[in-house]
């Protein structure tokens, strides 16, 4: 194996937007009559195996699982106060999508924190909800491996850090609002929601 590799066989890695995986093999294959080295990565969450060229792994944001200390720092971050986020959902979505692509555990924790609290102010549009679900799953996966804890314990741990005092009101109530409707009605589910009629009349007594 002539090409230098960053990761080794059986090493756990994070593949941004895909999840935590394990390198099961590093092998050479012919591509356009040229030998190319590939990481063969098994992604447990999707039960899927992917092949990534070794020299493209860094560009794709593939990285090692963080240390216990860094995982704890991410948990601490989601308990902290944060800057007001835009009320324009399209702007929020792009900001958070860029963070997800960068893929550090701190970036992912930042997405989870902001969208969790935003969802308590108003139901997230479909695209944002999917982004939140992806980010939270990534965070759960990585912390599970980094802290070597059962997944159900990590789920509780994350929720406890998001709501350290067990409060039901969003701590992001000081969020900057440009408009009450996020111009997101066209992306909401067709099913009726019990709280839908109250969205435009938010009466945030905590503001």
């Amino acid at each position: 194996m002539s090409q230098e590799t960053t990761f080794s066989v059986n090493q756990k890695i994070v593949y941004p937007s895909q999840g935590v995986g394990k390198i099961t093999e590093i092998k050479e294959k012919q591509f356009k009559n040229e030998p190319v080295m590939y990481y063969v990565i098994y992604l447990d969450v999707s039960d899927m195996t992917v092949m990534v060229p070794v020299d493209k792994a860094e560009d794709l944001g593939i990285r090692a699982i963080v240390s216990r200390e860094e995982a704890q720092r991410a948990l601490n971050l989601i308990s902290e106060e944060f800057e007001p986020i835009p009320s324009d959902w399209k702007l929020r979505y792009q900001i958070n999508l860029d963070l997800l692509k960068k893929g550090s555990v701190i970036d992912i924790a930042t997405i989870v924190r902001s969208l969790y609290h935003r969802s308590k102010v108003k139901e997230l549009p479909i695209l944002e909800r999917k982004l939140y679900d992806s980010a939270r799953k990534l965070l759960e996966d990585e912390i599970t491996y980094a802290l070597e804890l059962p997944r159900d314990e990590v789920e509780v741990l994350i929720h406890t850090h998001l709501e350290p005092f067990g409060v039901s009101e969003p701590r992001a109530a000081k969020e900057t609002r440009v408009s009450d409707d996020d111009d997101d009605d066209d992306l909401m589910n067709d099913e009726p929601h019990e709280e839908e009629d109250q969205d435009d009349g938010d009466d945030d007594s905590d503001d």
Side-chain angles (χ1 to χ4, degrees):
M1 191 179 301
S2 57
Q3 186 173 354
E4 184 178 347
T5 58
T6 303
F7 308 111
S8 57
V9 174
N10 293 326
Q11 183 175 354
K12 290 285 196 316
I13 54 89
V14 176
Y15 191 157
S17 79
Q18 299 293 328
V20 172
K22 183 173 79 170
I23 296 176
T24 60
E25 190 179 355
I26 302 174
K27 67 179 182 180
E28 182 181 288
K29 288 193 68 175
Q30 292 292 317
F31 180 73
K32 295 184 178 179
N33 297 320
E34 293 290 335
V36 177
M37 296 302 302
Y38 288 87
Y39 291 120
V40 181
I41 304 171
Y42 175 70
L43 300 165
D44 184 62
V45 64
S46 55
D47 191 23
M48 180 173 65
T49 298
V50 298
M51 292 179 60
V52 175
V54 167
D55 60 359
K56 298 291 185 186
E58 184 176 350
D59 293 340
L60 291 171
I62 294 175
R63 58 175 176 79
I65 296 286
V66 295
S67 65
R68 297 178 65 89
E69 291 76 19
E70 190 71 3
Q72 189 60 54
R73 193 160 79 89
L75 283 172
N76 292 341
L77 181 139
I78 61 177
S79 297
E80 296 171 359
E81 293 291 336
F82 56 98
E83 293 298 317
I85 59 176
S87 62
D88 180 345
W89 81 267
K90 294 175 183 177
L91 179 57
R92 286 197 313 264
Y93 181 77
Q94 190 58 56
I95 290 171
N96 286 319
L97 186 61
D98 289 343
L99 286 174
L100 188 66
K101 288 177 180 177
K102 287 170 61 180
S104 79
V105 71
I106 296 300
D107 291 329
I108 294 167
T110 298
I111 297 170
V112 170
R113 178 182 62 181
S114 65
L115 291 186
Y116 174 79
H117 290 288
R118 174 62 193 177
S119 72
K120 296 177 66 181
V121 174
K122 183 175 182 180
E123 186 175 4
L124 298 175
I126 292 172
L127 287 177
E128 268 198 311
R129 189 164 66 245
K130 288 180 178 179
L131 182 62
Y132 169 75
D133 289 342
S134 295
R136 182 150 181 168
K137 183 68 172 59
L138 278 169
L139 188 63
E140 289 173 356
D141 282 352
E142 184 157 16
I143 290 177
T144 294
Y145 286 108
L147 298 185
E148 299 179 340
L149 292 173
R151 182 175 300 278
D152 56 350
E153 285 188 27
V154 171
E155 291 175 2
V156 172
L157 196 58
I158 288 174
H159 184 74
T160 301
H161 278 76
L162 285 167
E163 296 288 7
F165 306 110
V167 294
S168 58
E169 293 299 319
R171 290 184 295 120
K174 64 179 182 180
E175 167 195 29
T176 301
R177 291 192 179 187
V178 176
S179 62
D180 274 340
D181 81 24
D182 285 349
D183 193 26
D184 59 14
D185 293 341
D186 57 329
L187 291 177
M188 298 303 292
N189 280 329
D190 292 331
E191 300 87 36
H193 300 280
E194 292 181 0
E195 297 180 0
E196 194 170 17
D197 294 336
Q198 301 175 9
D199 283 346
D200 292 333
D202 281 348
D203 185 9
D204 294 335
S205 58
D206 291 343
D207 285 346

